[in-house]
Structure formats: C-alpha cells, structure tokens
Amino acid sequence: MESVRVRVQPEPFDTGREIARLHEGAWGVGAVASFLGVVRDRNDDRSVGSMRLEHYPGMTERAIERIVRDAGMRWELAAVTVIHRVGELSPGDPIVLVAAASSHRGEAFSACEFVMDYLKTKAPFWKKESTPAGGRWVETRVSDSEAAGRW
C-alpha cells in the first residue's frame, strides 16, 4: 500500500477533499470507495440529542492502523484513509470516513466494508448518547460482531 492515513480528531473534516487527496499521484487507481458515517438522531427508538466519543490516544490510532494493514494483506490497495472524530457530536455530524483506493472497484468496496466492520468492533472507542431519559453508553451490537465475523 502506497499511502495510509489515520486520524482521530475532534474537528470536522471535508469528505470531498479527503477522497481527492486519497488518490492524488497514485498510479493505477481505477476505483475509490468510501463510507461516511453520521451521528443518528434516533437509536433503538430513542431520540438522541448528542453523542460523546472517547478514545485512548495512541492506542486507538495503532488499532486502526492494524485494521488497515490487515485490509492491505487481503486486497491490493493503493491507499486507505480513515478519519474518526471524537468529542461531543450532534445528530447529522459526520463521525467517520473510511476510503479505499485500488485498481478495481471490488477490492476498494471490500476493503472499505472490512475496515468499517472492524472499526465498529475492534477499535477502542467509547460512545455515550445523551437522550431525554439521560445518558447511556452504547454497546457493540450483535449485528456488528456478526458482520466482522464473516471476514
């Protein structure tokens, strides 16, 4: 893999700029696939006013880099970018961007899905939603674990 960018940050990011930067100067790229996750306004039929994401600096970035390296072992990728926000976020705010560049679309799509499935289950993030009933920590969903298990 020519380029791996992993950032964990509180600031918003420009999705279009990040995707354009992903394949700048990369030879042989014929496909870029991306996933943009946003904060939900509802979760389990409860209204969500905001979400606070916490992480362990350094450890989180290393965990994400391992996930990306694993993707690079499975698929021929030119570049991967993962940006995950932390801090206080509101419904509709972008929370995560996963983008993969490859020579063919199938590899880019698969790598993107793989990275996202493992981010949801293996990256050390803690999410706390603010709801009308009070705060609650978000647990890993069974469906997320099943999605990661298929790889």
Side-chain angles (χ1 to χ4, degrees):
M1 212 173 337
E2 296 171 29
S3 172
V4 173
R5 288 188 183 100
V6 172
R7 293 195 328 257
V8 177
Q9 63 189 47
E11 303 85 20
F13 52 84
D14 182 324
T15 304
R17 186 176 339 177
E18 296 298 337
I19 291 172
R21 190 177 296 158
L22 177 70
H23 60 90
E24 276 178 358
W27 294 99
V29 170
V32 174
S34 64
F35 172 83
L36 177 66
V38 297
V39 178
R40 293 181 211 160
D41 62 348
R42 298 195 66 71
N43 192 6
D44 295 333
D45 292 330
R46 290 190 197 173
S47 178
V48 175
S50 66
M51 177 185 286
R52 177 152 193 84
L53 274 96
E54 298 178 8
H55 76 298
Y56 193 94
M59 182 174 137
T60 303
E61 291 85 351
R62 283 191 302 277
I64 296 170
E65 288 166 0
R66 275 193 303 277
I67 293 166
V68 171
R69 276 197 315 272
D70 288 349
M73 302 281 286
R74 293 170 179 255
W75 297 281
E76 194 172 315
L77 304 171
V80 174
T81 294
V82 177
I83 303 171
H84 206 299
R85 293 185 61 198
V86 292
E88 195 75 24
L89 300 171
S90 298
D93 284 348
I95 188 171
V96 62
L97 172 67
V98 175
S102 183
S103 56
H104 301 285
R105 71 179 182 274
E107 293 186 342
F109 277 127
S110 293
C112 218
E113 191 172 12
F114 171 90
V115 170
M116 195 60 226
D117 285 346
Y118 275 84
L119 272 177
K120 293 283 287 182
T121 58
K122 302 292 183 194
F125 288 101
W126 297 273
K127 301 175 185 178
K128 187 173 188 179
E129 293 176 336
S130 175
T131 72
R136 70 175 182 162
W137 292 99
V138 178
E139 300 291 328
T140 301
R141 295 175 183 266
V142 171
S143 60
D144 292 334
S145 295
E146 289 171 349
R150 69 192 165 106
W151 300 106

